[in-house]
Amino acid sequence: MLNELFNTAPYALARAEKEKTLTALLTRLTAHHYEKCREYRAMLDGYGFSPRRPVDSYYDLPFLPVRLFKELTLSSVGADEVFKTLTSSGTTGQAVSKICLDRITAANQQKALVKIISSFLGSARLPLIIIDCPSVLKNRHSFSARGAGVLGFSIFGAERIYALDDDMNLRVDALADFLRRHAGERILLFGFTFLIWRHFYAALQESALSLDLTDGIMIHGGGWKKLSDQRVSPAVFKAGLQAVCGLERVHDYYGMAEQTGCVYVECEKGYLHASVFSDIIMRRPSDLKVCAFGEKGVAEVVSVLPHSYCGHALLTEDEGVIVGEDDCACGRKGKYFTLTGRIKAAELRGCGDTYAANFS
Amino acid sequence: MRQISAKLDFVVGDAAVLARMPELPPFRVFDDRALTFLRALAAELFAAGEGRTYPDLAAFAFWCRPSSLLPLREKYGRARLGRGLAFHVAPSNVPLNFAYSLVAALLAGNANAVRLPARDFAQTALMGAALNRLLATGAFADVAARLCLFRYGHEREATDALSAACASRLIWGGDDTVAEIRKSPLPPRANEITFPDRYSICLIHSERYLADYDRQRTAQDFFNDTYLNDQNACTAPRLIFWFGGAAERARAVFWPALRERLERYTLQASQTVDKLAGFYRYAAQAPCRLSLDGDCKIFRVAVPEISPDITNHFQNSGYFYEYDARDLEEILPVCGRKCQTLSYIGFDGAELREFVLAAAPFGVDRIVPVGRTMDFSLVWDGVDLVRTLSREVALP
C-alpha cells in the first residue's frame, strides 16, 4: 500500500480516499511499533489504547508529543539495523532529538522528498546553490537536521555549489563564476530560512555584487522563529530576496527531523500543503480535540514513513490554522494551512522556579 | 550599598533609606511599633476594597491583623531582638509571598530589604501603594526607616551588596534560585533561610470522605489547594493516596465534583502538551493508567506501586498520580526531603503527626486539612521564622 502511494502524484488524493489510505497505513504502523518498541507499548498501555481495537480514522490514533524524542530513545528496530541516527538542530545547550533510522525508513524518506519536491521543480536536475557551508555534512553517520536537509536536497542538483565557506562568508567569486557557467539555465537554491537571511541576503545587500537569479527557484525551511524575533515576515523575506537578486519563485517548507521526508511545501498561493504521505491536524489547546478549519490549534502531524521509530503520529509545538482541503486555488489536493508560531510557555502561578532560567 | 542603589527600582523606600538600614537598632520581637503598623496596614487594605478583586490580598489583610498574630506573641517571650537587616528574595510568580516574608521578619524585629517578583502583578502594586500611603502619613517613621521594596534585574552586584549588608537572607523560589543567590557571600554572623523546590501529597480516606464531607465544599477546598495556583505551588498535592475500602466509589464522586468546579479553568496549549508529554514520559518506564474526563483539565494517572522516582515525574496544571494504599507506611517512600505538606481528607491531623514523628522521614513539614495548604504560617517549611530571624538575649 505504501508502494501505491509512491506511484501516486504527491497531491492527487482527495479527502475520502486519502483518509482511507492513511488510516490503513497508520493503524498498521501503530500496531508495528506497539509490537516492536517496549516504551511505545508501555505508553499506549498507560494511555489505554489497544492497537487491536479498530479505529474509524487515523484522527483517533494516539499521538506522541514530539519532545519525547529529545528525552527518550525510541527505536522499533534492533541496534544492528539502525543505519544512521538523525539529530534535530537544537541550539547550544538544548536537548536534541535522536531519531533512529533503518535503511527502509531512510530510503522511503528520500523517495517521498523526491516525489514532493520534483512536483515543484520538474524531473530534470538543476544547477544547485546550497546556501550553507560544506562542513554541515562532516559526520555521515550522525548528523543534524540541517545536514539531513542539505543531503536530502542535494539530489535535485546537477552541479552543486556551497554559497558559504566554513566561516559563513558568502563565496562571491565562486558564485559569480557558477552563474556565468549556467547562464540561461534555471537555478535551484536551497537553504535554511534564517541562514539565507543572515548570510546570503545580508551579504548581497551589503556588497556591490548583483546576482541575477530572476529565473531561479528557492526552497527554504527551518522555521521562522529567529526571523520573526527580528520582525522579518515571510513577505519581507520574499521582497528582500527579490530586491537583491531578482528571485521570484520562493517556496517555504515546513518539516521536522522527526518526520524527515514529509515536507509541507508552500504553494504559489502562499499556503503550506500536506502531501499524500502525511497529514496535519490542528487540535484545540484545552482538550486536544480536532479544530474546525479556520480555528487556530496545535499541530499534530502524521506520516506513513517512520518504520524504525514510533514517530508516525506526533503532536508538535507549533500552532497554525487549516485553511481548507482539496480546494486550494493552486490546484493541489489535500489540506492547506498556515502556521502562526510556536506555542508559548504558560506563565504559571505558584512558586515553581522561573528565576534562574532567566540568567542563562 | 550606595553604588548599587542606581540599579534598584524602588517601589517603597529609596536609596537613602536603604543605605542607613543596616545600622539601625532592631526592634524587639512583636514590637508595638510593628503591631501598630500592621493594624494600620490591614485597615488600609480593607478600606481600599481591592480584596474583592484579589482574594489573596484580602487573605493577607486578614492574616496580618494583630488580633490574629498577637496570640503568638507569648510563644517568643520578651527577651528577643531582631538580627538587623533581613534581605528577602521573593519568588517570581507568587504575587504576595513577599508580604508574608516581610511581616514575619518585621515581627521578629528586623529592618527589611525586599526584592519583589520581576513580574508586575496588580496585587504587588496595590500592596506597594498601600504601604506608601501609610508611610507617607509620618505616623510610622521607625517602620518607614526600616523598609525598602524594590526590583532589579540579574545584577549580581546588587545581590552581592545586599547579601554583604544583611544579617539574615531569605530565598524563596526554588533550587535554581537558591543556587544563584548563594553565589553571593553572607557576613560570618548572618544566617539564611531557603525555600527550595518542594512537593506535597494528599491523603484521602474514601469511606469517611463519602460519609462526612460535602462534595461541593470539598471540591472547592481541593481546587483552592491546587488549580487556584495552577497546581504549581509547592504546597499543592501532586500525588493522592486513597485509603479505606471505598476508593473506587469515592473517586467516582470526588473527581466529577472537582470537574464541575473547573468550568472556568482554562488551559493554554503548553500546559496541555506538558501534561501529555509528562504522562507519556512516566508511562514509558513504569506501569500506570491514565484517566481523562472528556477533556484535558484533569490528568489522573493511577499507579499500582509507589517508587521514590515518581517524585521526578510531577507535573502541574491539573496532573495527579493516584494510589490505593492499605496502610500509612506506604506513603513513606515519597516523604523524603522534598516533601513539604501532607494534606488530608477524613483523617485526624494529630494522629497523622504522631505517625510522621514515629516514622521519622526526612520530609513532611506540615500536616493540614484539605483547603488549608496555602494558609501561611510563621512556621514554614519546618522553620520557625520569628525565632530564626531574631536572637535571644539569654540569662543563665
Side-chain angles (χ1 to χ4, degrees):
Chain A
M1 193 177 266
L2 190 55
N3 284 336
E4 281 170 36
L5 272 190
F6 281 118
N7 294 323
T8 308
Y11 300 99
L13 292 186
R15 199 179 70 83
E17 200 180 348
K18 179 169 174 177
E19 181 161 1
K20 206 172 113 210
T21 308
L22 288 195
T23 299
L25 285 168
L26 292 167
T27 301
R28 198 184 299 168
L29 277 175
T30 302
H32 159 73
H33 294 304
Y34 184 87
E35 190 184 326
K36 300 288 186 183
C37 176
R38 187 174 53 81
E39 292 86 356
Y40 185 71
R41 175 195 291 249
M43 288 191 265
L44 293 205
D45 285 346
Y47 193 82
F49 183 89
S50 164
R52 266 179 307 232
R53 192 177 63 201
V55 294
D56 294 336
S57 162
Y58 61 93
Y59 281 63
D60 302 327
L61 292 170
F63 40 86
L64 300 185
V66 68
R67 80 171 71 143
L68 289 176
F69 287 90
K70 296 189 200 308
E71 295 156 357
L72 307 169
T73 302
L74 299 168
S75 174
S76 297
V77 292
D80 53 329
E81 291 172 73
V82 175
F83 137 83
K84 63 187 176 189
T85 304
L86 179 65
T87 57
S88 68
S89 54
T91 44
T92 319
Q94 282 182 330
V96 294
S97 288
K98 274 178 62 187
I99 311 297
C100 304
L101 298 177
D102 64 352
R103 286 189 182 277
I104 308 170
T105 307
N108 284 341
Q109 288 177 344
Q110 187 70 20
K111 270 161 78 180
L113 184 72
V114 168
K115 292 279 294 186
I116 294 167
I117 297 300
S118 28
S119 78
F120 284 83
L121 301 180
S123 51
R125 293 187 174 202
L126 306 176
L128 170 63
I129 300 175
I130 298 166
I131 305 177
D132 212 317
C133 57
S135 66
V136 72
L137 283 186
K138 245 176 210 154
N139 185 343
R140 288 269 172 157
H141 295 286
S142 166
F143 49 48
S144 64
R146 225 173 97 193
V150 167
L151 195 67
F153 275 87
S154 290
I155 57 158
F156 301 105
E159 187 192 339
R160 299 190 285 267
I161 183 174
Y162 285 91
L164 307 175
D165 64 23
D166 282 339
D167 298 318
M168 304 307 273
N169 297 308
L170 192 64
R171 298 171 61 209
V172 174
D173 295 338
L175 276 177
D177 179 56
F178 186 82
L179 290 182
R180 218 171 6 257
R181 280 189 288 112
H182 295 285
E185 295 176 61
R186 161 158 292 179
I187 307 284
L188 171 62
L189 299 99
F190 170 77
F192 283 80
T193 311
F194 177 71
L195 296 180
I196 290 171
W197 189 252
R198 170 88 171 269
H199 299 291
F200 182 74
Y201 164 78
L204 284 179
Q205 199 198 25
E206 280 163 25
S207 77
L209 182 76
S210 85
L211 293 183
D212 182 10
L213 290 164
T214 316
D215 203 28
I217 176 165
M218 173 183 278
I219 294 182
H220 67 96
W224 288 90
K225 194 188 171 306
K226 282 182 181 164
L227 287 188
S228 59
D229 288 350
Q230 298 174 17
R231 302 186 183 286
V232 177
S233 66
V236 168
F237 183 84
K238 283 184 182 169
L241 285 169
Q242 189 170 20
V244 296
C245 59
L247 256 182
E248 281 169 7
R249 294 185 60 188
V250 176
H251 297 273
D252 186 13
Y253 75 86
Y254 172 59
M256 59 201 69
E258 294 81 359
Q259 285 187 357
T260 300
C262 284
V263 290
Y264 299 80
V265 183
E266 179 190 13
C267 73
E268 299 75 13
K269 305 295 173 188
Y271 297 116
L272 298 164
H273 278 258
S275 74
V276 295
F277 304 105
S278 73
D279 198 22
I280 184 160
I281 300 164
M282 299 301 172
R283 294 190 176 270
R284 289 186 186 137
S286 57
D287 56 13
L288 298 179
K289 297 208 163 85
V290 179
C291 293
F293 287 0
E295 180 186 358
K296 187 166 110 171
V298 186
E300 176 196 342
V301 288
V302 299
S303 161
V304 298
L305 306 180
H307 172 81
S308 52
Y309 65 99
C310 52
H312 56 300
L314 297 173
L315 187 66
T316 71
E317 307 206 351
D318 298 303
E319 287 183 311
V321 174
I322 305 291
V323 179
E325 186 167 19
D326 296 342
D327 57 1
C328 183
C330 76
R332 292 175 183 83
K333 298 271 190 262
K335 281 186 197 146
Y336 54 105
F337 63 99
T338 58
L339 293 175
T340 53
R342 307 273 294 169
I343 61 174
K344 284 180 211 44
E347 288 206 14
L348 300 181
R349 291 162 289 206
C351 45
D353 215 329
T354 60
Y355 175 79
N358 299 332
F359 269 91
S360 51
Chain B
M1 202 83 93
R2 285 267 178 213
Q3 59 276 19
I4 60 134
S5 288
K7 296 181 188 296
L8 308 184
D9 180 10
F10 284 91
V11 174
V12 172
D14 57 30
V17 172
L18 183 63
R20 280 194 296 269
M21 275 200 319
E23 297 309 321
L24 291 182
F27 290 176
R28 285 193 181 195
V29 295
F30 285 78
D31 193 289
D32 285 335
R33 288 169 291 182
L35 292 167
T36 309
F37 178 73
L38 291 176
R39 179 178 298 114
L41 178 59
E44 180 68 29
L45 291 171
F46 283 126
E50 286 126 357
R52 279 189 291 276
T53 318
Y54 301 103
D56 48 349
L57 203 56
F60 172 77
F62 193 76
W63 178 80
C64 80
R65 292 166 311 141
S67 53
S68 57
L69 297 171
L70 262 177
L72 302 166
R73 186 182 200 163
E74 294 312 308
K75 182 174 164 187
Y76 300 103
R78 298 287 294 148
R80 300 189 76 90
L81 287 169
R83 297 175 50 86
L85 175 64
F87 169 35
H88 307 250
V89 180
S92 57
N93 47 357
V94 188
L96 289 178
N97 173 280
F98 79 90
Y100 290 94
S101 188
L102 166 64
V103 170
L106 181 63
L107 287 170
N110 298 286
N112 293 287
V114 182
R115 182 188 179 175
L116 294 173
R119 265 173 79 187
D120 198 4
F121 293 101
Q123 298 97 306
T124 313
L126 292 168
M127 178 68 70
L131 288 167
N132 280 326
R133 287 196 299 274
L134 280 185
L135 298 177
T137 63
F140 308 99
D142 286 345
V143 173
R146 290 170 174 78
L147 184 55
C148 282
L149 273 53
F150 46 79
R151 291 190 172 84
Y152 63 87
H154 305 133
E155 285 98 6
R156 170 76 184 273
E157 284 168 275
T159 305
D160 282 350
L162 289 158
S163 298
C166 76
S168 290
R169 185 166 68 184
L170 296 91
I171 311 172
W172 302 82
D175 293 0
D176 293 343
T177 304
V178 171
E180 190 59 40
I181 300 292
R182 276 192 169 164
K183 291 177 186 164
S184 301
L186 289 169
R189 269 277 292 165
N191 67 1
E192 181 177 64
I193 308 175
T194 58
F195 301 97
D197 295 333
R198 307 295 296 275
Y199 63 79
S200 296
I201 61 176
C202 183
L203 277 49
I204 305 180
H205 194 288
S206 55
E207 281 130 346
R208 291 181 215 143
Y209 163 69
L210 289 169
D212 306 336
Y213 283 74
D214 177 78
R215 53 183 282 184
Q216 267 82 31
R217 172 72 198 278
T218 308
Q220 180 64 46
D221 282 341
F222 190 79
F223 175 89
N224 291 346
D225 285 348
T226 53
Y227 288 85
L228 188 62
N229 282 293
D230 292 322
Q231 200 195 9
N232 191 41
C234 44
T235 55
R238 321 263 177 168
L239 167 57
I240 296 174
F241 289 88
W242 290 93
F243 288 86
E248 201 56 51
R249 271 196 300 133
R251 281 193 286 268
V253 174
F254 181 86
W255 293 114
L258 178 68
R259 182 61 191 77
E260 283 171 30
R261 180 60 193 76
L262 295 177
E263 282 312 314
R264 278 179 298 157
Y265 184 79
T266 56
L267 286 169
Q268 294 173 43
S270 69
Q271 291 169 290
T272 308
V273 177
D274 285 352
K275 291 202 287 185
L276 187 65
F279 160 71
Y280 276 130
R281 199 181 304 122
Y282 184 75
Q285 49 89 56
C288 62
R289 187 62 187 269
L290 176 69
S291 301
L292 292 175
D293 179 21
D295 58 25
C296 296
K297 287 182 183 175
I298 306 176
F299 264 64
R300 294 165 51 198
V301 183
V303 296
E305 60 199 42
I306 294 288
S307 68
D309 176 62
I310 198 171
T311 64
N312 298 320
H313 291 271
F314 289 151
Q315 301 291 321
N316 49 48
S317 305
Y319 183 100
F320 304 94
Y321 291 102
E322 297 186 278
Y323 174 74
D324 284 345
R326 280 162 302 277
D327 63 80
L328 281 174
E329 300 283 327
E330 293 190 90
I331 71 169
L332 292 173
V334 294
C335 292
R337 289 180 175 81
K338 280 179 168 271
C339 183
Q340 185 205 49
T341 299
L342 189 162
S343 58
Y344 60 85
I345 294 171
F347 283 91
D348 177 83
E351 278 175 26
L352 288 176
R353 182 159 79 165
E354 280 314 307
F355 166 77
V356 168
L357 290 171
F362 286 110
V364 183
D365 297 329
R366 310 164 69 221
I367 297 167
V368 298
V370 65
R372 302 277 301 280
T373 61
M374 297 288 286
D375 291 4
F376 189 75
S377 147
L378 290 174
V379 177
W380 194 256
D381 269 19
V383 178
D384 183 326
L385 297 177
V386 172
R387 214 176 279 282
T388 310
L389 295 169
S390 62
R391 63 191 173 88
E392 181 171 351
V393 181
L395 288 177

